[in-house]
């Protein structure tokens, strides 16, 4: 971040914050006996906060502020997997996985900042998450009971804004926020015996708040883009799968 300072006659200024969080949890259990009861549970939760900001008095050719949460190269931000197996006269297996991502990503210009930017002022927040929960259970016996639950969820806030009372003299302004959340849950249960009962319950939940905004002005402080292309872009979008 850049704040509470004066920057004069700068060229291109880039302020960037980036996080690539990753969490994994695994559990496996095998039980056998006359009365065999097995419980396998795995939980992974991420709560990253990513912020990029600029403030003070800035005179530059171009200014870019961007905050990014990215998905790891492995393909998932968070993974929880559990595998359970029981066998006996009475076999009961419970397998439970839970995975969540509660991220906050924000890119912004501080309140009451003064900007003189000859070219483009760009403010952006980008959030991408991908979660996977996988539960598998097998229970065998005279009485076999298999119960499997898996839950994948995300609760993300992605915000980009020009703060209250910002005075901007420049060529163009872009304020954008983009979010993408992919939650996948898989559950499999098998039970065998004279009495066999199997239950599998996968669930996914996506909650998101994606916002791009120019906050209120104050007397004598406004946005003037007449010195350049005059392009003003404000956009916010979110994709959930």
């Amino acid at each position: 971040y850049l704040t509470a300072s004066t920057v004069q006659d700068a060229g291109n200024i880039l302020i960037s914050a980036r996080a690539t969080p990753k969490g994994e949890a695994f559990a496996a259990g095998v039980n056998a006996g006359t009365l065999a009861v097995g419980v396998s549970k795995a939980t992974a939760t991420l709560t990253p906060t990513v912020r990029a900001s600029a403030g003070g008095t800035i005179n530059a050719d171009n200014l870019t502020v961007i905050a990014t949460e990215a998905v790891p190269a492995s393909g998932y931000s968070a993974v929880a997997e559990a595998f359970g197996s029981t066998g006996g006269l009475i076999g009961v297996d419970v397998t439970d996985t839970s995975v969540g991502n509660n991220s906050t990503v924000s890119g912004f210009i501080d309140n009451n900042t003064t900007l003189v930017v000859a070219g483009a002022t760009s403010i952006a927040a980008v959030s991408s998450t991908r979660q996977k929960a996988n539960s598998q259970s097998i229970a065998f016996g005279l009485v076999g009971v298999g119960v499997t639950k898996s839950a994948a969820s995300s609760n993300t806030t992605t915000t980009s804004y020009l703060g209250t009372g910002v005075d901007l003299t420049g060529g163009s302004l872009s304020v954008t926020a983009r979010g993408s959340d992919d939650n996948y849950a898989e559950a499999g249960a098998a039970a065998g015996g004279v009495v066999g009962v199997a239950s599998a319950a996968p669930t996914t939940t996506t909650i998101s708040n994606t916002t791009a905004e120019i906050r209120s002005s104050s007397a004598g402080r406004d946005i003037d883009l007449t010195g350049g292309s005059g392009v003003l872009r404000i956009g916010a979008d979110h994709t959930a799968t």
Side-chain angles (χ1 to χ4, degrees):
Y1 63 91
L2 174 65
T3 187
S5 61
T6 299
V7 179
Q8 296 289 346
D9 301 322
N12 298 325
I13 297 177
L14 170 63
I15 301 170
S16 176
R18 182 183 180 90
T20 308
K22 181 178 179 179
E24 296 178 331
F26 299 96
V30 178
N31 292 275
T34 302
L35 173 59
V37 179
V39 178
S40 300
K41 185 174 183 179
T43 301
T45 303
L46 301 176
T47 56
T49 298
V50 188
R51 298 177 61 189
S53 66
T57 300
I58 300 173
N59 188 320
D61 291 340
N62 296 282
L63 173 63
T64 300
V65 178
I66 182 168
T68 305
E69 178 187 9
V71 175
S74 62
Y76 290 98
S77 305
V79 177
E81 293 186 307
F83 302 90
S85 177
T86 61
L89 184 62
I90 299 176
V92 179
D93 183 73
V94 178
T95 307
D96 188 359
T97 57
S98 176
V99 61
N101 191 318
N102 307 310
S103 65
T104 301
V105 180
S106 55
F108 59 94
I109 302 297
D110 288 339
N111 296 340
N112 301 313
T113 293
T114 298
L115 300 176
V116 180
V117 181
T121 298
S122 177
I123 309 159
V126 180
S127 173
S128 298
T129 77
R130 194 177 185 208
Q131 289 68 236
K132 177 182 178 180
N134 181 21
S135 296
Q136 302 293 329
S137 68
I138 301 174
F140 291 99
L142 181 64
V143 177
V145 179
V147 179
T148 307
K149 297 179 180 180
S150 64
S153 67
S154 59
N155 188 345
T156 58
T157 299
T158 309
T159 307
S160 177
Y161 66 88
L162 191 76
T164 300
V166 171
D167 188 82
L168 168 61
T169 302
S172 65
L173 173 62
S174 174
V175 183
T176 59
R178 185 172 72 249
S180 174
D181 297 305
D182 182 353
N183 294 304
Y184 175 79
E186 180 179 346
V194 176
V195 178
V197 179
S199 172
T203 61
T204 62
T205 303
T206 302
I207 301 172
S208 65
N209 186 353
T210 306
T211 306
E213 62 179 327
I214 296 176
R215 296 185 174 175
S216 59
S217 61
S218 57
R221 301 182 65 82
D222 52 23
I223 298 172
D224 181 356
L225 303 178
T226 58
S229 67
V231 173
L232 171 62
R233 180 191 178 200
I234 305 173
D237 65 84
H238 182 269
T239 302
T241 54

